[in-house]
Amino acid sequence: MKRFYLIGFALLLFFDTMGQTGFKFSALNAQPLDYSIEWVLRILTNKWIYITTLSYMGAFFTWMVLLKKVPVGPAFAASRTQIVTVMLVSVYIFNEQLTVTRCLGALLIIAGIIFLAFAEKKLNKRSVKQPDESIQ
Amino acid sequence: MTLLIFCLWLGNICCDTIGQISFKCAAISPKNRENWRYWLDLLCNYWLWLGVLSYGVGFLLWIAFLTLLPLSQAILLGSANIIAVMIMGRFIFKEQLTPFRIIGVSLITAGVILVGIG
């Protein structure tokens, strides 16, 4: 179960981050933005839009497999970890600024994930003691 | 103007929540089988398509919302859907709201808001 969660969320995070990065690269490569057919063609002839599409499909499949087992409320919150990974990618690849508030926000998100993991551990222990109770 | 913003905001949260609840319904549908047949069954499941449709509408509402508000404020309101999905999960799927889960989800929501403002 633990492995399922770890692999599932890691994959989801990878696909989500890849998708957002791909979007940004597509936008950059299609510059200038002029709302013309040429702009659309520049997007469609760029490999990044296809990487983005594949990433989104991967994220969808991973999310559906995860949802078979995980509770949707906490999992939806946990999927927001992509904000932290996208932020790190933006700093390294696109030289975007890292402010104190953003770092603090990222730390809070990571702290939240740790709490959710602890909650899962506790609920699993409880369901081992009372096997008739569902894990959810 | 503010009423319009409020309606767009509420509409977006409803769409996001309905979308996630539908996806969960589709994923745990009792019709589901193993292997590739799972995906076939999933594609025939009307919950999945309700979820996709809901996401489509939510996307349009979000774009409209963003044209009226700066992104930093929009993220602040947009992160409310994390809470909404958790509450609906509690009522529809009987997901337990343990103290650790509540703390975790609150911290993530606060974090998302801070990153949005930052």
Side-chain angles (χ1 to χ4, degrees), chain A residues 61 63-64 67-68 70-73 77 99 105 112 115 118 120 123 126 136, chain B residues 20 23-24 27 38-39 48 82 93 95-96 100-101 104 107-108 111 114 118:
Chain A
F61 284 119
W63 186 235
M64 293 313 286
L67 273 186
K68 279 209 268 186
V70 303
V72 66
T99 63
F115 269 99
F118 272 126
E120 245 28 62
L123 284 169
R126 211 187 295 170
Q136 291 191 345
Chain B
Q20 287 303 328
F23 283 150
K24 174 82 183 177
Y38 171 73
W39 298 105
L48 183 83
I82 300 177
F93 304 111
E95 293 173 1
Q96 291 179 25
F100 270 52
R101 273 192 181 164
L107 283 173
I108 292 173
L114 278 187

PDB file of all heavy atoms in Angstrom, chain A residues 61 63-64 67-68 70-73 77 99 105 112 115 118 120 123 126 136, chain B residues 20 23-24 27 38-39 48 82 93 95-96 100-101 104 107-108 111 114 118:
ATOM      1  N   PHE A  61      -4.113   9.028 -16.488  1.00  0.00           N
ATOM      2  CA  PHE A  61      -4.127   7.589 -16.196  1.00  0.00           C
ATOM      3  C   PHE A  61      -3.655   7.332 -14.764  1.00  0.00           C
ATOM      4  O   PHE A  61      -4.253   6.540 -14.033  1.00  0.00           O
ATOM      5  CB  PHE A  61      -3.250   6.827 -17.198  1.00  0.00           C
ATOM      6  CG  PHE A  61      -3.911   6.672 -18.540  1.00  0.00           C
ATOM      7  CD1 PHE A  61      -3.344   7.214 -19.687  1.00  0.00           C
ATOM      8  CD2 PHE A  61      -5.110   5.983 -18.659  1.00  0.00           C
ATOM      9  CE1 PHE A  61      -3.964   7.086 -20.924  1.00  0.00           C
ATOM     10  CE2 PHE A  61      -5.733   5.835 -19.897  1.00  0.00           C
ATOM     11  CZ  PHE A  61      -5.153   6.394 -21.027  1.00  0.00           C
ATOM     12  N   TRP A  63      -3.759   9.332 -12.212  1.00  0.00           N
ATOM     13  CA  TRP A  63      -4.761   9.841 -11.253  1.00  0.00           C
ATOM     14  C   TRP A  63      -5.924   8.851 -11.117  1.00  0.00           C
ATOM     15  O   TRP A  63      -6.404   8.590 -10.025  1.00  0.00           O
ATOM     16  CB  TRP A  63      -5.227  11.225 -11.699  1.00  0.00           C
ATOM     17  CG  TRP A  63      -6.148  11.937 -10.767  1.00  0.00           C
ATOM     18  CD1 TRP A  63      -7.366  12.441 -11.064  1.00  0.00           C
ATOM     19  CD2 TRP A  63      -5.923  12.251  -9.380  1.00  0.00           C
ATOM     20  NE1 TRP A  63      -7.908  13.040  -9.958  1.00  0.00           N
ATOM     21  CE2 TRP A  63      -7.062  12.937  -8.928  1.00  0.00           C
ATOM     22  CE3 TRP A  63      -4.869  12.002  -8.484  1.00  0.00           C
ATOM     23  CZ2 TRP A  63      -7.182  13.383  -7.609  1.00  0.00           C
ATOM     24  CZ3 TRP A  63      -4.988  12.448  -7.180  1.00  0.00           C
ATOM     25  CH2 TRP A  63      -6.134  13.124  -6.753  1.00  0.00           C
ATOM     26  N   MET A  64      -6.375   8.280 -12.239  1.00  0.00           N
ATOM     27  CA  MET A  64      -7.491   7.340 -12.176  1.00  0.00           C
ATOM     28  C   MET A  64      -7.095   6.068 -11.423  1.00  0.00           C
ATOM     29  O   MET A  64      -7.888   5.524 -10.655  1.00  0.00           O
ATOM     30  CB  MET A  64      -7.998   6.976 -13.581  1.00  0.00           C
ATOM     31  CG  MET A  64      -8.656   8.127 -14.325  1.00  0.00           C
ATOM     32  SD  MET A  64      -9.861   9.082 -13.399  1.00  0.00           S
ATOM     33  CE  MET A  64     -11.233   7.963 -13.350  1.00  0.00           C
ATOM     34  N   LEU A  67      -6.983   6.959  -7.753  1.00  0.00           N
ATOM     35  CA  LEU A  67      -8.318   7.187  -7.173  1.00  0.00           C
ATOM     36  C   LEU A  67      -9.051   5.897  -6.835  1.00  0.00           C
ATOM     37  O   LEU A  67     -10.002   5.901  -6.053  1.00  0.00           O
ATOM     38  CB  LEU A  67      -9.174   8.033  -8.118  1.00  0.00           C
ATOM     39  CG  LEU A  67      -9.035   9.543  -7.987  1.00  0.00           C
ATOM     40  CD1 LEU A  67     -10.049  10.234  -8.873  1.00  0.00           C
ATOM     41  CD2 LEU A  67      -9.201  10.011  -6.552  1.00  0.00           C
ATOM     42  N   LYS A  68      -8.621   4.769  -7.445  1.00  0.00           N
ATOM     43  CA  LYS A  68      -9.248   3.494  -7.109  1.00  0.00           C
ATOM     44  C   LYS A  68      -9.069   3.199  -5.621  1.00  0.00           C
ATOM     45  O   LYS A  68      -9.906   2.575  -4.995  1.00  0.00           O
ATOM     46  CB  LYS A  68      -8.615   2.365  -7.934  1.00  0.00           C
ATOM     47  CG  LYS A  68      -9.169   2.276  -9.327  1.00  0.00           C
ATOM     48  CD  LYS A  68      -9.104   0.865  -9.847  1.00  0.00           C
ATOM     49  CE  LYS A  68      -7.823   0.601 -10.615  1.00  0.00           C
ATOM     50  NZ  LYS A  68      -7.844  -0.733 -11.246  1.00  0.00           N
ATOM     51  N   VAL A  70      -7.130   5.652  -3.174  1.00  0.00           N
ATOM     52  CA  VAL A  70      -6.916   6.746  -2.223  1.00  0.00           C
ATOM     53  C   VAL A  70      -8.190   7.573  -2.004  1.00  0.00           C
ATOM     54  O   VAL A  70      -9.038   7.656  -2.884  1.00  0.00           O
ATOM     55  CB  VAL A  70      -5.771   7.683  -2.675  1.00  0.00           C
ATOM     56  CG1 VAL A  70      -4.490   6.907  -2.877  1.00  0.00           C
ATOM     57  CG2 VAL A  70      -6.157   8.438  -3.926  1.00  0.00           C
ATOM     58  N   PRO A  71      -8.335   8.172  -0.807  1.00  0.00           N
ATOM     59  CA  PRO A  71      -9.454   9.089  -0.573  1.00  0.00           C
ATOM     60  C   PRO A  71      -9.255  10.367  -1.385  1.00  0.00           C
ATOM     61  O   PRO A  71      -8.152  10.919  -1.412  1.00  0.00           O
ATOM     62  CB  PRO A  71      -9.368   9.375   0.925  1.00  0.00           C
ATOM     63  CG  PRO A  71      -7.962   9.101   1.291  1.00  0.00           C
ATOM     64  CD  PRO A  71      -7.473   8.027   0.368  1.00  0.00           C
ATOM     65  N   VAL A  72     -10.312  10.828  -2.057  1.00  0.00           N
ATOM     66  CA  VAL A  72     -10.154  11.924  -3.020  1.00  0.00           C
ATOM     67  C   VAL A  72      -9.786  13.262  -2.360  1.00  0.00           C
ATOM     68  O   VAL A  72      -9.003  14.039  -2.911  1.00  0.00           O
ATOM     69  CB  VAL A  72     -11.409  12.048  -3.930  1.00  0.00           C
ATOM     70  CG1 VAL A  72     -12.635  12.469  -3.167  1.00  0.00           C
ATOM     71  CG2 VAL A  72     -11.158  13.008  -5.076  1.00  0.00           C
ATOM     72  N   GLY A  73     -10.321  13.526  -1.166  1.00  0.00           N
ATOM     73  CA  GLY A  73     -10.061  14.808  -0.490  1.00  0.00           C
ATOM     74  C   GLY A  73      -8.588  15.046  -0.217  1.00  0.00           C
ATOM     75  O   GLY A  73      -7.986  15.990  -0.758  1.00  0.00           O
ATOM     76  N   ALA A  77      -5.562  17.381  -2.349  1.00  0.00           N
ATOM     77  CA  ALA A  77      -4.671  18.340  -1.685  1.00  0.00           C
ATOM     78  C   ALA A  77      -3.211  17.966  -1.931  1.00  0.00           C
ATOM     79  O   ALA A  77      -2.385  18.813  -2.256  1.00  0.00           O
ATOM     80  CB  ALA A  77      -4.973  18.385  -0.190  1.00  0.00           C
ATOM     81  N   THR A  99      10.918  34.170  -4.141  1.00  0.00           N
ATOM     82  CA  THR A  99      10.749  35.115  -3.046  1.00  0.00           C
ATOM     83  C   THR A  99      10.618  34.367  -1.719  1.00  0.00           C
ATOM     84  O   THR A  99      10.416  33.160  -1.696  1.00  0.00           O
ATOM     85  CB  THR A  99       9.480  35.961  -3.246  1.00  0.00           C
ATOM     86  OG1 THR A  99       8.351  35.086  -3.218  1.00  0.00           O
ATOM     87  CG2 THR A  99       9.506  36.693  -4.570  1.00  0.00           C
ATOM     88  N   GLY A 105       5.612  29.310   1.471  1.00  0.00           N
ATOM     89  CA  GLY A 105       4.461  28.572   0.956  1.00  0.00           C
ATOM     90  C   GLY A 105       4.832  27.138   0.604  1.00  0.00           C
ATOM     91  O   GLY A 105       4.127  26.192   0.948  1.00  0.00           O
ATOM     92  N   GLY A 112       2.415  19.988   5.020  1.00  0.00           N
ATOM     93  CA  GLY A 112       1.077  19.422   4.866  1.00  0.00           C
ATOM     94  C   GLY A 112       1.127  17.989   4.368  1.00  0.00           C
ATOM     95  O   GLY A 112       0.391  17.115   4.857  1.00  0.00           O
ATOM     96  N   PHE A 115       2.076  15.664   7.157  1.00  0.00           N
ATOM     97  CA  PHE A 115       0.921  15.401   8.025  1.00  0.00           C
ATOM     98  C   PHE A 115      -0.032  14.389   7.383  1.00  0.00           C
ATOM     99  O   PHE A 115      -0.549  13.491   8.053  1.00  0.00           O
ATOM    100  CB  PHE A 115       0.186  16.702   8.348  1.00  0.00           C
ATOM    101  CG  PHE A 115       0.678  17.353   9.599  1.00  0.00           C
ATOM    102  CD1 PHE A 115       1.588  18.402   9.538  1.00  0.00           C
ATOM    103  CD2 PHE A 115       0.248  16.911  10.851  1.00  0.00           C
ATOM    104  CE1 PHE A 115       2.069  18.998  10.701  1.00  0.00           C
ATOM    105  CE2 PHE A 115       0.715  17.502  12.017  1.00  0.00           C
ATOM    106  CZ  PHE A 115       1.628  18.555  11.935  1.00  0.00           C
ATOM    107  N   PHE A 118       1.362  10.936   7.735  1.00  0.00           N
ATOM    108  CA  PHE A 118       1.164  10.453   9.108  1.00  0.00           C
ATOM    109  C   PHE A 118      -0.280  10.010   9.317  1.00  0.00           C
ATOM    110  O   PHE A 118      -0.549   8.992   9.953  1.00  0.00           O
ATOM    111  CB  PHE A 118       1.517  11.537  10.126  1.00  0.00           C
ATOM    112  CG  PHE A 118       2.964  11.525  10.515  1.00  0.00           C
ATOM    113  CD1 PHE A 118       3.735  12.672  10.406  1.00  0.00           C
ATOM    114  CD2 PHE A 118       3.551  10.363  11.004  1.00  0.00           C
ATOM    115  CE1 PHE A 118       5.084  12.666  10.754  1.00  0.00           C
ATOM    116  CE2 PHE A 118       4.898  10.340  11.354  1.00  0.00           C
ATOM    117  CZ  PHE A 118       5.656  11.496  11.232  1.00  0.00           C
ATOM    118  N   GLU A 120      -2.284   8.799   7.130  1.00  0.00           N
ATOM    119  CA  GLU A 120      -2.454   7.517   6.429  1.00  0.00           C
ATOM    120  C   GLU A 120      -1.898   6.375   7.264  1.00  0.00           C
ATOM    121  O   GLU A 120      -2.509   5.325   7.392  1.00  0.00           O
ATOM    122  CB  GLU A 120      -1.707   7.591   5.100  1.00  0.00           C
ATOM    123  CG  GLU A 120      -2.546   7.517   3.846  1.00  0.00           C
ATOM    124  CD  GLU A 120      -3.956   8.020   3.982  1.00  0.00           C
ATOM    125  OE1 GLU A 120      -4.183   9.214   4.278  1.00  0.00           O
ATOM    126  OE2 GLU A 120      -4.859   7.193   3.793  1.00  0.00           O
ATOM    127  N   LEU A 123      -4.259   5.650  10.149  1.00  0.00           N
ATOM    128  CA  LEU A 123      -5.497   4.989   9.706  1.00  0.00           C
ATOM    129  C   LEU A 123      -5.235   3.541   9.318  1.00  0.00           C
ATOM    130  O   LEU A 123      -6.063   2.673   9.565  1.00  0.00           O
ATOM    131  CB  LEU A 123      -6.100   5.745   8.513  1.00  0.00           C
ATOM    132  CG  LEU A 123      -6.817   7.046   8.876  1.00  0.00           C
ATOM    133  CD1 LEU A 123      -7.129   7.834   7.625  1.00  0.00           C
ATOM    134  CD2 LEU A 123      -8.092   6.749   9.646  1.00  0.00           C
ATOM    135  N   ARG A 126      -5.031   1.481  12.417  1.00  0.00           N
ATOM    136  CA  ARG A 126      -6.359   1.270  12.981  1.00  0.00           C
ATOM    137  C   ARG A 126      -7.118   0.189  12.203  1.00  0.00           C
ATOM    138  O   ARG A 126      -7.823  -0.621  12.783  1.00  0.00           O
ATOM    139  CB  ARG A 126      -7.133   2.593  12.946  1.00  0.00           C
ATOM    140  CG  ARG A 126      -8.123   2.695  14.102  1.00  0.00           C
ATOM    141  CD  ARG A 126      -8.989   3.922  13.957  1.00  0.00           C
ATOM    142  NE  ARG A 126      -8.228   5.171  14.060  1.00  0.00           N
ATOM    143  CZ  ARG A 126      -8.741   6.355  13.775  1.00  0.00           C
ATOM    144  NH1 ARG A 126      -9.993   6.455  13.344  1.00  0.00           N
ATOM    145  NH2 ARG A 126      -8.031   7.445  13.888  1.00  0.00           N
ATOM    146  N   GLN A 136     -10.550   3.843   4.196  1.00  0.00           N
ATOM    147  CA  GLN A 136     -10.920   5.234   3.963  1.00  0.00           C
ATOM    148  C   GLN A 136     -11.381   5.889   5.231  1.00  0.00           C
ATOM    149  O   GLN A 136     -11.301   7.064   5.401  1.00  0.00           O
ATOM    150  CB  GLN A 136     -12.039   5.314   2.932  1.00  0.00           C
ATOM    151  CG  GLN A 136     -11.547   4.905   1.556  1.00  0.00           C
ATOM    152  CD  GLN A 136     -12.557   5.228   0.486  1.00  0.00           C
ATOM    153  OE1 GLN A 136     -13.712   5.489   0.793  1.00  0.00           O
ATOM    154  NE2 GLN A 136     -12.147   5.227  -0.748  1.00  0.00           N
TER     155      GLN A 136
ATOM    156  N   GLN B  20     -13.828  16.227  -9.645  1.00  0.00           N
ATOM    157  CA  GLN B  20     -13.058  15.264  -8.845  1.00  0.00           C
ATOM    158  C   GLN B  20     -13.954  14.158  -8.286  1.00  0.00           C
ATOM    159  O   GLN B  20     -13.564  12.992  -8.258  1.00  0.00           O
ATOM    160  CB  GLN B  20     -12.326  15.966  -7.696  1.00  0.00           C
ATOM    161  CG  GLN B  20     -11.130  16.785  -8.131  1.00  0.00           C
ATOM    162  CD  GLN B  20     -10.113  15.971  -8.896  1.00  0.00           C
ATOM    163  OE1 GLN B  20      -9.930  14.790  -8.654  1.00  0.00           O
ATOM    164  NE2 GLN B  20      -9.463  16.606  -9.857  1.00  0.00           N
ATOM    165  N   PHE B  23     -14.687  11.757 -11.059  1.00  0.00           N
ATOM    166  CA  PHE B  23     -13.537  10.905 -11.353  1.00  0.00           C
ATOM    167  C   PHE B  23     -13.431   9.784 -10.339  1.00  0.00           C
ATOM    168  O   PHE B  23     -13.166   8.637 -10.679  1.00  0.00           O
ATOM    169  CB  PHE B  23     -12.235  11.725 -11.362  1.00  0.00           C
ATOM    170  CG  PHE B  23     -12.052  12.543 -12.616  1.00  0.00           C
ATOM    171  CD1 PHE B  23     -11.349  13.737 -12.580  1.00  0.00           C
ATOM    172  CD2 PHE B  23     -12.570  12.113 -13.824  1.00  0.00           C
ATOM    173  CE1 PHE B  23     -11.178  14.497 -13.734  1.00  0.00           C
ATOM    174  CE2 PHE B  23     -12.403  12.858 -14.984  1.00  0.00           C
ATOM    175  CZ  PHE B  23     -11.700  14.055 -14.940  1.00  0.00           C
ATOM    176  N   LYS B  24     -13.663  10.131  -9.076  1.00  0.00           N
ATOM    177  CA  LYS B  24     -13.598   9.115  -8.025  1.00  0.00           C
ATOM    178  C   LYS B  24     -14.701   8.074  -8.233  1.00  0.00           C
ATOM    179  O   LYS B  24     -14.455   6.868  -8.147  1.00  0.00           O
ATOM    180  CB  LYS B  24     -13.727   9.787  -6.651  1.00  0.00           C
ATOM    181  CG  LYS B  24     -13.817   8.841  -5.460  1.00  0.00           C
ATOM    182  CD  LYS B  24     -12.474   8.336  -5.003  1.00  0.00           C
ATOM    183  CE  LYS B  24     -12.642   7.342  -3.864  1.00  0.00           C
ATOM    184  NZ  LYS B  24     -11.361   6.768  -3.441  1.00  0.00           N
ATOM    185  N   ALA B  27     -13.674   5.821 -10.988  1.00  0.00           N
ATOM    186  CA  ALA B  27     -12.554   4.943 -10.629  1.00  0.00           C
ATOM    187  C   ALA B  27     -13.009   3.775  -9.759  1.00  0.00           C
ATOM    188  O   ALA B  27     -12.462   2.689  -9.850  1.00  0.00           O
ATOM    189  CB  ALA B  27     -11.463   5.741  -9.924  1.00  0.00           C
ATOM    190  N   TYR B  38     -10.288  -2.543 -17.787  1.00  0.00           N
ATOM    191  CA  TYR B  38     -10.600  -1.473 -16.836  1.00  0.00           C
ATOM    192  C   TYR B  38     -10.740  -0.146 -17.567  1.00  0.00           C
ATOM    193  O   TYR B  38     -11.691   0.604 -17.350  1.00  0.00           O
ATOM    194  CB  TYR B  38      -9.502  -1.387 -15.768  1.00  0.00           C
ATOM    195  CG  TYR B  38      -9.640  -0.180 -14.873  1.00  0.00           C
ATOM    196  CD1 TYR B  38     -10.642  -0.115 -13.903  1.00  0.00           C
ATOM    197  CD2 TYR B  38      -8.789   0.916 -15.009  1.00  0.00           C
ATOM    198  CE1 TYR B  38     -10.780   0.987 -13.094  1.00  0.00           C
ATOM    199  CE2 TYR B  38      -8.925   2.025 -14.203  1.00  0.00           C
ATOM    200  CZ  TYR B  38      -9.912   2.063 -13.251  1.00  0.00           C
ATOM    201  OH  TYR B  38     -10.053   3.165 -12.452  1.00  0.00           O
ATOM    202  N   TRP B  39      -9.788   0.107 -18.470  1.00  0.00           N
ATOM    203  CA  TRP B  39      -9.795   1.389 -19.185  1.00  0.00           C
ATOM    204  C   TRP B  39     -10.958   1.461 -20.163  1.00  0.00           C
ATOM    205  O   TRP B  39     -11.544   2.523 -20.358  1.00  0.00           O
ATOM    206  CB  TRP B  39      -8.460   1.593 -19.903  1.00  0.00           C
ATOM    207  CG  TRP B  39      -7.346   1.636 -18.909  1.00  0.00           C
ATOM    208  CD1 TRP B  39      -6.433   0.655 -18.659  1.00  0.00           C
ATOM    209  CD2 TRP B  39      -7.070   2.677 -17.969  1.00  0.00           C
ATOM    210  NE1 TRP B  39      -5.602   1.026 -17.636  1.00  0.00           N
ATOM    211  CE2 TRP B  39      -5.962   2.260 -17.200  1.00  0.00           C
ATOM    212  CE3 TRP B  39      -7.646   3.930 -17.714  1.00  0.00           C
ATOM    213  CZ2 TRP B  39      -5.434   3.049 -16.190  1.00  0.00           C
ATOM    214  CZ3 TRP B  39      -7.104   4.711 -16.701  1.00  0.00           C
ATOM    215  CH2 TRP B  39      -6.021   4.271 -15.960  1.00  0.00           C
ATOM    216  N   LEU B  48     -17.091   9.422 -15.788  1.00  0.00           N
ATOM    217  CA  LEU B  48     -15.828   9.946 -16.320  1.00  0.00           C
ATOM    218  C   LEU B  48     -16.096  11.149 -17.211  1.00  0.00           C
ATOM    219  O   LEU B  48     -15.439  12.177 -17.102  1.00  0.00           O
ATOM    220  CB  LEU B  48     -15.101   8.868 -17.111  1.00  0.00           C
ATOM    221  CG  LEU B  48     -13.745   9.331 -17.637  1.00  0.00           C
ATOM    222  CD1 LEU B  48     -12.688   9.198 -16.576  1.00  0.00           C
ATOM    223  CD2 LEU B  48     -13.351   8.579 -18.881  1.00  0.00           C
ATOM    224  N   ILE B  82      -9.635  23.002  -2.712  1.00  0.00           N
ATOM    225  CA  ILE B  82      -8.996  21.919  -1.950  1.00  0.00           C
ATOM    226  C   ILE B  82      -9.902  21.543  -0.769  1.00  0.00           C
ATOM    227  O   ILE B  82     -10.173  20.373  -0.514  1.00  0.00           O
ATOM    228  CB  ILE B  82      -7.606  22.344  -1.431  1.00  0.00           C
ATOM    229  CG1 ILE B  82      -6.689  22.706  -2.600  1.00  0.00           C
ATOM    230  CG2 ILE B  82      -6.984  21.243  -0.594  1.00  0.00           C
ATOM    231  CD1 ILE B  82      -5.324  23.202  -2.174  1.00  0.00           C
ATOM    232  N   PHE B  93     -18.151   9.908   0.107  1.00  0.00           N
ATOM    233  CA  PHE B  93     -17.421   8.640   0.184  1.00  0.00           C
ATOM    234  C   PHE B  93     -17.073   8.242   1.601  1.00  0.00           C
ATOM    235  O   PHE B  93     -16.287   7.327   1.814  1.00  0.00           O
ATOM    236  CB  PHE B  93     -16.156   8.711  -0.682  1.00  0.00           C
ATOM    237  CG  PHE B  93     -16.430   9.065  -2.107  1.00  0.00           C
ATOM    238  CD1 PHE B  93     -16.040  10.290  -2.617  1.00  0.00           C
ATOM    239  CD2 PHE B  93     -17.117   8.187  -2.930  1.00  0.00           C
ATOM    240  CE1 PHE B  93     -16.313  10.629  -3.932  1.00  0.00           C
ATOM    241  CE2 PHE B  93     -17.385   8.513  -4.241  1.00  0.00           C
ATOM    242  CZ  PHE B  93     -16.993   9.742  -4.739  1.00  0.00           C
ATOM    243  N   GLU B  95     -15.141   9.541   3.722  1.00  0.00           N
ATOM    244  CA  GLU B  95     -13.720   9.611   4.038  1.00  0.00           C
ATOM    245  C   GLU B  95     -13.548  10.259   5.407  1.00  0.00           C
ATOM    246  O   GLU B  95     -14.156  11.296   5.677  1.00  0.00           O
ATOM    247  CB  GLU B  95     -12.986  10.425   2.969  1.00  0.00           C
ATOM    248  CG  GLU B  95     -12.971   9.727   1.625  1.00  0.00           C
ATOM    249  CD  GLU B  95     -12.401  10.573   0.509  1.00  0.00           C
ATOM    250  OE1 GLU B  95     -11.983  11.717   0.774  1.00  0.00           O
ATOM    251  OE2 GLU B  95     -12.391  10.091  -0.622  1.00  0.00           O
ATOM    252  N   GLN B  96     -12.719   9.621   6.225  1.00  0.00           N
ATOM    253  CA  GLN B  96     -12.581  10.135   7.592  1.00  0.00           C
ATOM    254  C   GLN B  96     -11.812  11.449   7.624  1.00  0.00           C
ATOM    255  O   GLN B  96     -10.807  11.608   6.953  1.00  0.00           O
ATOM    256  CB  GLN B  96     -11.842   9.108   8.444  1.00  0.00           C
ATOM    257  CG  GLN B  96     -12.670   7.867   8.685  1.00  0.00           C
ATOM    258  CD  GLN B  96     -11.911   6.868   9.503  1.00  0.00           C
ATOM    259  OE1 GLN B  96     -11.006   7.212  10.253  1.00  0.00           O
ATOM    260  NE2 GLN B  96     -12.262   5.609   9.349  1.00  0.00           N
ATOM    261  N   PHE B 100      -5.068  14.748  11.827  1.00  0.00           N
ATOM    262  CA  PHE B 100      -3.870  14.858  11.005  1.00  0.00           C
ATOM    263  C   PHE B 100      -4.205  15.227   9.566  1.00  0.00           C
ATOM    264  O   PHE B 100      -3.498  15.995   8.928  1.00  0.00           O
ATOM    265  CB  PHE B 100      -3.072  13.536  11.041  1.00  0.00           C
ATOM    266  CG  PHE B 100      -2.073  13.489  12.151  1.00  0.00           C
ATOM    267  CD1 PHE B 100      -2.457  13.774  13.455  1.00  0.00           C
ATOM    268  CD2 PHE B 100      -0.740  13.172  11.902  1.00  0.00           C
ATOM    269  CE1 PHE B 100      -1.531  13.738  14.484  1.00  0.00           C
ATOM    270  CE2 PHE B 100       0.193  13.138  12.926  1.00  0.00           C
ATOM    271  CZ  PHE B 100      -0.200  13.416  14.211  1.00  0.00           C
ATOM    272  N   ARG B 101      -5.300  14.651   9.049  1.00  0.00           N
ATOM    273  CA  ARG B 101      -5.698  14.978   7.682  1.00  0.00           C
ATOM    274  C   ARG B 101      -6.116  16.442   7.582  1.00  0.00           C
ATOM    275  O   ARG B 101      -5.771  17.133   6.626  1.00  0.00           O
ATOM    276  CB  ARG B 101      -6.861  14.088   7.242  1.00  0.00           C
ATOM    277  CG  ARG B 101      -6.394  12.786   6.646  1.00  0.00           C
ATOM    278  CD  ARG B 101      -7.529  12.065   5.971  1.00  0.00           C
ATOM    279  NE  ARG B 101      -7.044  10.795   5.435  1.00  0.00           N
ATOM    280  CZ  ARG B 101      -7.840   9.812   5.053  1.00  0.00           C
ATOM    281  NH1 ARG B 101      -9.159   9.940   5.159  1.00  0.00           N
ATOM    282  NH2 ARG B 101      -7.345   8.712   4.566  1.00  0.00           N
ATOM    283  N   GLY B 104      -3.029  18.584   7.706  1.00  0.00           N
ATOM    284  CA  GLY B 104      -2.294  18.450   6.449  1.00  0.00           C
ATOM    285  C   GLY B 104      -2.916  19.256   5.326  1.00  0.00           C
ATOM    286  O   GLY B 104      -2.236  20.028   4.657  1.00  0.00           O
ATOM    287  N   LEU B 107      -2.569  23.027   5.914  1.00  0.00           N
ATOM    288  CA  LEU B 107      -1.213  23.515   5.638  1.00  0.00           C
ATOM    289  C   LEU B 107      -0.990  23.651   4.127  1.00  0.00           C
ATOM    290  O   LEU B 107      -0.431  24.649   3.662  1.00  0.00           O
ATOM    291  CB  LEU B 107      -0.166  22.555   6.224  1.00  0.00           C
ATOM    292  CG  LEU B 107       0.069  22.638   7.733  1.00  0.00           C
ATOM    293  CD1 LEU B 107       1.002  21.530   8.188  1.00  0.00           C
ATOM    294  CD2 LEU B 107       0.663  23.993   8.103  1.00  0.00           C
ATOM    295  N   ILE B 108      -1.442  22.640   3.370  1.00  0.00           N
ATOM    296  CA  ILE B 108      -1.266  22.697   1.915  1.00  0.00           C
ATOM    297  C   ILE B 108      -2.026  23.892   1.339  1.00  0.00           C
ATOM    298  O   ILE B 108      -1.491  24.645   0.521  1.00  0.00           O
ATOM    299  CB  ILE B 108      -1.723  21.383   1.251  1.00  0.00           C
ATOM    300  CG1 ILE B 108      -0.774  20.252   1.647  1.00  0.00           C
ATOM    301  CG2 ILE B 108      -1.764  21.518  -0.271  1.00  0.00           C
ATOM    302  CD1 ILE B 108      -1.199  18.876   1.204  1.00  0.00           C
ATOM    303  N   GLY B 111      -0.168  26.960   2.083  1.00  0.00           N
ATOM    304  CA  GLY B 111       1.030  27.000   1.253  1.00  0.00           C
ATOM    305  C   GLY B 111       0.729  27.457  -0.167  1.00  0.00           C
ATOM    306  O   GLY B 111       1.438  28.282  -0.725  1.00  0.00           O
ATOM    307  N   LEU B 114       0.154  31.163  -0.167  1.00  0.00           N
ATOM    308  CA  LEU B 114       1.405  31.923  -0.033  1.00  0.00           C
ATOM    309  C   LEU B 114       2.192  31.933  -1.341  1.00  0.00           C
ATOM    310  O   LEU B 114       2.710  32.981  -1.752  1.00  0.00           O
ATOM    311  CB  LEU B 114       2.262  31.342   1.091  1.00  0.00           C
ATOM    312  CG  LEU B 114       1.900  31.777   2.512  1.00  0.00           C
ATOM    313  CD1 LEU B 114       2.943  31.261   3.489  1.00  0.00           C
ATOM    314  CD2 LEU B 114       1.817  33.295   2.611  1.00  0.00           C
ATOM    315  N   GLY B 118       3.134  35.249  -3.332  1.00  0.00           N
ATOM    316  CA  GLY B 118       4.573  35.512  -3.382  1.00  0.00           C
ATOM    317  C   GLY B 118       5.070  36.004  -4.708  1.00  0.00           C
ATOM    318  O   GLY B 118       6.103  36.546  -4.885  1.00  0.00           O
TER     319      GLY B 118
END
